């Protein structure tokens, strides 16, 4: 089924011969988006010559990430070089002279053939890999430590796991695991619109001791501005087709990249600590998620450093947030030491109370939530790694 986006009502009769009878006409970009959401059977959008070029390119760029199999054809009264190059960069398949019915007919045929091929490819990429975003609205609460340890534990449980460092300016995932990545999330930009599992593999680095794979943040903070949000969406979409779990470490703010990640996540892990600024910021973050329509059942709160003697209790945090704490992780001086060694504490010291708490958190709130069978609490201390022995930590 074809959508025709044009402000001129007479356009339907003018292009019906080339576009066929199964045609729906709309007059605004918002209506195009709504029609695509309401009816997945739409396989082609034809944008009329009266539509502004920038608006047409914006729609095409957004839809090529959400619906890569969708064809977009642009009609122009006169084809100019700058308009052609801008249109093709945005993902528009072809630009056709508006009065050339034969050329439009051929363009429609080619687009539908390509859509059929891409639809088959998309089916082959389908997977039920789960995406978990780890977020806090305040820095210094242990977000990266929780992300790396939970991801490493899941990877050590014979699952294929990717950890994406979405703190694009100051990400610490790679250095926390003592990795030296040759590529980063920045390199995905060049593959935008045609990223596939092979392309994704080229930008990840493996943590040998756990089997965890990492898509690192760029080494240059300026690169953060060169990574569009739709690239993040495409990266996550491809990653979930390859990995059992995709964890996303984030900066302490609602950047466009973070919002894009939360929007496609199955679960959001929110971190609180026993200090008033962290609780206040998390309360604001919860209100923001509510305002954005994020489902409450798809998020849970973890209290980190839960035994710190600072004058606040877990019950105080729950009262302030008006939500229960799902899991608590105690404080330990061995955590920064494990970070300095580049080995997550869940692997380096499996009997440490912090390790036990984080494994229990991963089992109850992630693995069990998604239907994965897990051992009873307290019976999974003998975690095995793919390439690392616990001999030195249990001797």
């Amino acid at each position: 089924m074809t959508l025709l986006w044009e402000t001129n009502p007479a356009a339907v009769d003018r292009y019906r011969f080339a576009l066929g009878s199964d045609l729906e006409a709309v007059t605004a970009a918002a209506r195009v988006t709504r029609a695509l959401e309401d009816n997945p059977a739409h396989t082609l959008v034809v944008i009329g010559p009266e539509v502004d070029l920038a608006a047409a390119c914006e729609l095409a760029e957004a839809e090529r990430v959400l619906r890569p199999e969708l064809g977009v054809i642009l009609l122009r009264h006169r084809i100019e070089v700058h308009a052609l190059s801008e249109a093709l960069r945005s993902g528009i398949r072809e630009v056709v002279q508006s009065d050339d019915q034969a050329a439009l007919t051929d363009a429609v045929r080619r687009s539908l053939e390509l859509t059929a091929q891409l639809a088959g490819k998309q089916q082959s990429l389908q997977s039920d890999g789960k995406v978990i975003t780890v977020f806090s609205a305040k820095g210094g609460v242990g977000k990266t430590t929780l992300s790396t340890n939970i991801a490493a534990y899941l990877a050590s449980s014979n699952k294929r796991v990717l950890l994406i460092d979405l703190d694009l300016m100051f990400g610490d995932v790679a250095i926390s695991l003592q990795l030296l990545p040759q590529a980063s999330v920045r390199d995905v930009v060049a593959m935008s619109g045609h990223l596939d599992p092979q392309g994704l593999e080229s930008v990840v680095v493996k943590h040998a001791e756990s089997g965890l794979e990492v898509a690192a943040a760029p080494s240059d903070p300026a690169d953060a501005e060169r990574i569009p949000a739709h690239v993040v969406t495409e990266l996550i979409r491809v990653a979930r087709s390859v990995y059992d779990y995709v964890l996303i470490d984030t900066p302490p703010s609602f950047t466009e990249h973070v919002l894009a990640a939360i929007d496609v996540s199955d679960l959001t892990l929110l971190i609180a600590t026993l200090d008033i600024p962290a609780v206040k910021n998390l309360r604001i973050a919860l209100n923001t998620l509510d305002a954005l329509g994020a489902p409450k059942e798809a998020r849970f709160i973890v209290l980190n450093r839960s035994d710190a003697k600072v004058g606040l209790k877990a019950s105080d945090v729950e009262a302030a947030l008006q939500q229960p704490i799902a899991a608590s992780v105690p404080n330990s001086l061995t955590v920064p030491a494990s970070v300095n060694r580049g080995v997550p504490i869940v692997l380096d010291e499996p009997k440490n109370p912090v390790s036990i708490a984080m494994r229990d958190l991963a089992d109850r709130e992630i693995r069990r939530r998604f239907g994965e069978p897990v051992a009873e609490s307290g019976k999974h201390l003998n975690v095995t790694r793919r390439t690392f022995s616990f001999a030195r930590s249990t001797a």
Side-chain angles (χ1 to χ4, degrees):
M1 191 171 182
T2 301
L3 281 172
L4 174 63
W5 174 19
E6 178 58 286
T7 57
N8 185 352
V12 174
D13 294 331
R14 183 185 309 162
Y15 301 117
R16 189 178 296 279
F17 176 79
L19 302 181
S21 59
D22 197 7
L23 180 65
E24 179 182 348
V26 294
T27 57
R31 294 185 179 180
V32 175
T33 303
R34 175 61 62 86
L36 292 172
E37 292 174 350
D38 292 344
N39 188 357
H42 290 302
T43 55
L44 177 64
V45 176
V46 176
I47 303 176
E50 305 300 331
V51 176
D52 178 69
L53 176 63
C57 292
E58 183 179 357
L59 175 80
E61 190 163 9
E63 293 301 332
R64 74 174 178 178
V65 174
L66 298 174
R67 302 171 182 85
E69 72 281 1
L70 178 72
V72 181
I73 295 174
L74 178 64
L75 301 177
R76 297 285 93 175
H77 291 304
R78 184 176 59 187
I79 299 178
E80 298 174 341
V81 174
H82 82 278
L84 179 62
S85 59
E86 188 174 344
L88 295 180
R89 277 198 304 271
S90 70
I92 291 173
R93 288 183 182 172
E94 298 197 37
V95 182
V96 180
Q97 190 105 356
S98 59
D99 59 358
D100 192 340
Q101 294 279 343
L104 178 56
T105 301
D106 289 341
V108 168
R109 175 184 52 79
R110 288 191 294 268
S111 180
L112 293 177
E113 289 175 352
L114 180 57
T115 290
Q117 294 173 5
L118 290 175
K121 180 180 178 182
Q122 286 301 113
Q123 285 184 341
S124 68
L125 284 176
Q126 292 303 311
S127 173
D128 60 351
K130 304 305 179 183
V131 179
I132 300 103
T133 293
V134 181
F135 180 76
S136 172
K138 181 181 178 296
V141 299
K143 182 160 34 61
T144 297
T145 298
L146 279 170
S147 298
T148 53
N149 276 274
I150 292 172
Y153 169 60
L154 292 172
S156 73
S157 303
N158 294 318
K159 295 294 179 181
R160 192 172 184 194
V161 181
L162 176 68
L163 176 56
I164 300 174
D165 193 344
L166 213 55
D167 189 345
L168 299 176
M169 294 188 69
F170 302 109
D172 289 329
V173 168
I175 197 170
S176 295
L177 296 171
Q178 291 193 359
L179 298 173
L180 297 173
Q182 301 301 309
S184 73
V185 176
R186 173 70 173 86
D187 295 280
V188 177
V189 176
M191 296 179 274
S192 176
H194 55 271
L195 180 66
D196 57 17
Q198 290 71 37
L200 175 59
E201 185 178 359
S202 71
V203 303
V204 304
V205 60
K206 179 172 284 190
H207 183 249
E209 294 179 341
S210 64
L212 171 66
E213 296 174 66
V214 172
S219 57
D220 184 355
D223 282 340
E225 297 182 358
R226 305 185 181 103
I227 303 174
H230 69 80
V231 169
V232 172
T233 303
E234 184 176 8
L235 169 62
I236 297 171
R237 177 183 60 83
V238 175
R240 78 187 312 158
S241 74
V242 177
Y243 295 88
D244 299 302
Y245 291 104
V246 179
L247 275 81
I248 303 172
D249 190 31
T250 60
S253 59
F254 279 122
T255 66
E256 60 176 348
H257 306 100
V258 171
L259 292 174
I262 290 176
D263 190 48
V264 296
S265 292
D266 300 289
L267 193 60
T268 302
L269 188 162
L270 300 163
I271 302 175
T273 51
L274 292 173
D275 61 276
I276 290 176
V279 175
K280 183 266 293 182
N281 286 8
L282 184 53
R283 178 67 262 175
I284 294 173
L286 290 168
N287 291 340
T288 302
L289 291 173
D290 289 340
L292 293 172
K296 292 184 178 181
E297 65 274 12
R299 60 188 190 235
F300 67 97
I301 297 171
V302 174
L303 181 61
N304 196 25
R305 304 168 193 148
S306 59
D307 54 353
K309 307 300 182 183
V310 292
L312 286 180
K313 303 189 295 290
S315 58
D316 298 325
V317 176
E318 290 182 325
L321 298 178
Q322 298 178 1
Q323 291 193 29
I325 292 171
S328 297
V329 178
N331 191 33
S332 175
L333 295 178
T334 58
V335 172
S338 72
V339 172
N340 290 339
R341 290 195 299 273
V343 182
I345 192 170
V346 292
L347 304 181
D348 199 33
E349 297 185 31
K351 295 184 179 180
N352 188 291
V354 173
S355 302
I356 295 172
M358 286 196 283
R359 286 199 307 273
D360 187 59
L361 156 64
D363 285 345
R364 287 189 298 106
E365 300 298 334
I366 297 177
R367 297 175 66 192
R368 189 172 295 166
R369 181 187 293 256
F370 295 126
E372 185 182 343
V374 296
E376 291 298 322
S377 178
K379 295 182 180 180
H380 52 281
L381 294 180
N382 294 321
V383 180
T384 58
R385 283 182 262 178
R386 288 186 175 94
T387 59
F388 189 73
S389 170
F390 283 130
R392 63 186 177 90
S393 62
T394 58

